[in-house]
Amino acid sequence: MTKHAFLENNAQPVPEAAGMDHCPFLPVFGPPAVMFVRGQGTELWDSQGKRYLDFLCGLAVTSLGHSHSCVTDALTQQSAELIHVSNFFANPVATAAAIDINQLLESATGSSGQVFFCNSGAEANEAAIKLARKHGGRGRHTMVSALGSFHGRTLGALAATGQPAKHEPFQPMPEGFKHVAYGDIEALSQAVDSSVAAVLLEPIQGEGGVIPAPAGYLKAVESLCKERGVLLIIDEVQTGMGRTGKWFGFEHSGISPDAVLMAKALGNGVPVGAIWVKEDVAKVLQPGDHGSTYSGTALVTSVVRAVIAEMKRINAPQLAVSVGAQLTKKLLVIPGVVGVRGAGLLLGIELAPGCDATKVYQACLAQGLVTNAVNASTIRMAPPLNVSAEHIEEAVAIFAKVMVQMMKEVEAAQ
Ligand SMILES: *Cc1c(COP(=O)(O)O)cnc(C)c1O
């Protein structure tokens, strides 16, 4: 059996891992760079006791930081009260959490809607695909999404994901998916024919490289969808929950989508996803059309309630705006940074030609700063929305040091 690369790279694996002679995981992820054992706020510690600043948040998941007391308290209290009862019965926690989500989306869209809880971003997308097909009816089942998009790894969500290389090993993909260039309203207009049930878009392509929708694009998409009677579904799995400076990324463009998908920061690391659907659209669904054993357990929805309450208390979207502006300003004066894309605290740092984002990511990690190379020339940063000014300073200093070294190497190679 294959030995896990992590064990080869680390002189002193944690006790649990010591003595293992093969990797216990399916080889679907690359070799892990570090084994983390503890987190508190923006800080993480690895198995060697080394401290890191987490400017990635597990991909925009732990937006309130690690081990937040609101999450720990919800989990401990609710787990002693009631965890799970199945969807034959109601529980007051899921009901309250769905009302909380609807309140956020009612003020964002001007319409009231209904919520289905699931366990991940991919599952929220699967629910959206089924909703679109039921709403469109027979012969009108196609989903149009964008090239470069990411919607998850399950077969339907993968088919919606506009990355052909990710489809290839698993062909044939389910039928009924089309992809168009992101930001190109003409291409979308041509794609939306009488077979199309819905358009599915991210307001900022996260995995695609932190690519914001061009100004006016989503508004034009909304008009097109209305005109042709097609649903507009927005994937807010990465951009939602305050990350971009509004509760939801689509709010920057003033649209009112028919359905909104959430996950990631909704549970601050506790697995949960949700789809919110406007009432007039939601009524096409009937009992039996969809479900999940773990839809809206009291345990997980207690965390959703706690996360939303804490984000409201600290005004997380406003923090993303103000801290995001400070961080962006500091990043833009660092040598080798040619631009910063994104919104709020979802940032794509474009590096100068010749810089290798993977090397920059690795050097930052070695210096105790967790980021992500989202593509060959872009570093993604998504720190906690409640990150302190001191931690911003410290992270920027590490990043600047790494970039100064990187630019020396780039110049030497010229
Ligand atoms: C991460 C992500 C998903 C998939 O979420 P999972 O919880 O990993 O299934 C879907 N859409 C977007 C925009 C994402 O960023």
Side-chain angles (χ1 to χ4, degrees):
M1 289 222 217
T2 29
K3 195 169 168 178
H4 203 296
F6 179 82
L7 298 175
E8 286 161 9
N9 296 343
N10 283 265
Q12 291 174 296
V14 291
E16 293 83 357
M20 284 174 11
D21 60 359
H22 77 281
C23 175
F25 300 115
L26 278 181
V28 298
F29 300 113
V34 178
M35 188 178 278
F36 287 120
V37 296
R38 194 164 68 87
Q40 188 69 56
T42 304
E43 297 171 296
L44 280 169
W45 288 269
D46 73 9
S47 50
Q48 322 282 306
K50 178 177 160 186
R51 171 186 171 270
Y52 299 75
L53 289 177
D54 187 358
F55 268 49
L56 185 60
C57 286
L59 290 167
V61 170
T62 52
S63 285
L64 291 172
H66 296 282
S67 309
H68 196 289
S69 60
C70 80
V71 176
T72 308
D73 290 351
L75 284 173
T76 47
Q77 283 162 25
Q78 191 59 47
S79 66
E81 182 102 14
L82 181 73
I83 294 181
H84 171 91
V85 291
S86 95
N87 291 290
F88 291 128
F89 312 103
N91 79 70
V93 195
T95 309
I99 290 170
D100 289 345
I101 290 176
N102 186 47
Q103 272 170 358
L104 293 178
L105 279 153
E106 194 166 5
S107 54
T109 63
S111 298
S112 184
Q114 292 169 305
V115 174
F116 173 81
F117 284 110
C118 53
N119 310 287
S120 68
E123 281 183 42
N125 277 273
E126 293 292 341
I129 294 163
K130 286 178 68 180
L131 169 77
R133 288 185 173 202
K134 185 100 197 272
H135 187 264
R138 282 283 154 87
R140 195 175 182 189
H141 61 260
T142 303
M143 200 88 179
V144 180
S145 53
L147 288 166
S149 64
F150 185 79
H151 298 291
R153 301 290 195 157
T154 55
L155 211 49
L158 181 63
T161 292
Q163 300 184 48
K166 286 195 165 70
H167 293 171
E168 252 350 275
F170 308 105
Q171 293 288 8
M173 284 291 110
E175 202 264 323
F177 294 86
K178 273 199 229 178
H179 303 95
V180 294
Y182 187 61
D184 184 342
I185 191 69
E186 255 321 298
L188 188 71
S189 177
Q190 275 173 29
V192 178
D193 57 26
S194 61
S195 79
V196 171
V199 172
L200 170 67
L201 292 169
E202 296 160 271
I204 296 176
Q205 288 191 329
E207 298 312 294
V210 192
I211 314 289
Y217 176 63
L218 291 176
K219 199 76 193 163
V221 173
E222 181 184 47
S223 308
L224 184 86
C225 287
K226 279 221 171 79
E227 197 185 291
R228 311 221 178 142
V230 161
L231 295 182
L232 174 56
I233 303 172
I234 298 291
D235 184 342
E236 293 276 357
V237 169
Q238 188 158 152
T239 48
M241 307 313 291
R243 175 58 57 188
T244 69
K246 302 263 189 200
W247 279 100
F248 299 96
F250 71 80
E251 291 181 71
H252 293 283
S253 46
I255 59 167
S256 178
D258 296 297
V260 177
L261 316 181
M262 289 147 268
K264 294 201 165 104
L266 187 61
N268 208 63
V270 173
V272 61
I275 176 171
W276 172 92
V277 184
K278 279 185 181 169
E279 266 161 26
D280 58 330
V281 176
K283 66 176 189 261
V284 304
L285 297 175
Q286 291 161 4
D289 276 343
H290 197 53
S292 167
T293 298
Y294 293 127
S295 176
T297 66
L299 183 68
V300 162
T301 51
S302 76
V303 175
V304 171
R305 293 212 72 194
V307 165
I308 292 174
E310 177 63 8
M311 284 187 166
K312 281 183 180 165
R313 192 187 69 81
I314 64 174
N315 197 350
Q318 188 48 45
L319 282 179
V321 171
S322 57
V323 180
Q326 287 163 32
L327 177 57
T328 301
K329 198 170 142 214
K330 291 176 198 291
L331 289 170
L332 280 170
V333 297
I334 291 174
V337 171
V338 294
V340 177
R341 297 187 296 268
L345 280 172
L346 180 60
L347 300 177
I349 306 163
E350 183 67 28
L351 308 179
C355 292
D356 177 341
T358 301
K359 277 192 187 162
V360 170
Y361 150 76
Q362 284 166 344
C364 285
L365 192 66
Q367 303 272 334
L369 175 64
V370 180
T371 64
N372 159 255
V374 70
N375 63 36
S377 64
T378 310
I379 291 289
R380 174 170 41 182
M381 283 191 185
L385 306 182
N386 54 4
V387 60
S388 70
E390 291 73 27
H391 286 156
I392 291 277
E393 285 297 336
E394 196 184 337
V396 165
I398 294 171
F399 191 69
K401 194 170 145 194
V402 166
M403 285 306 297
V404 165
Q405 184 58 34
M406 182 84 233
M407 289 312 285
K408 275 189 192 146
E409 284 173 31
V410 169
E411 277 154 31
Q414 273 168 358

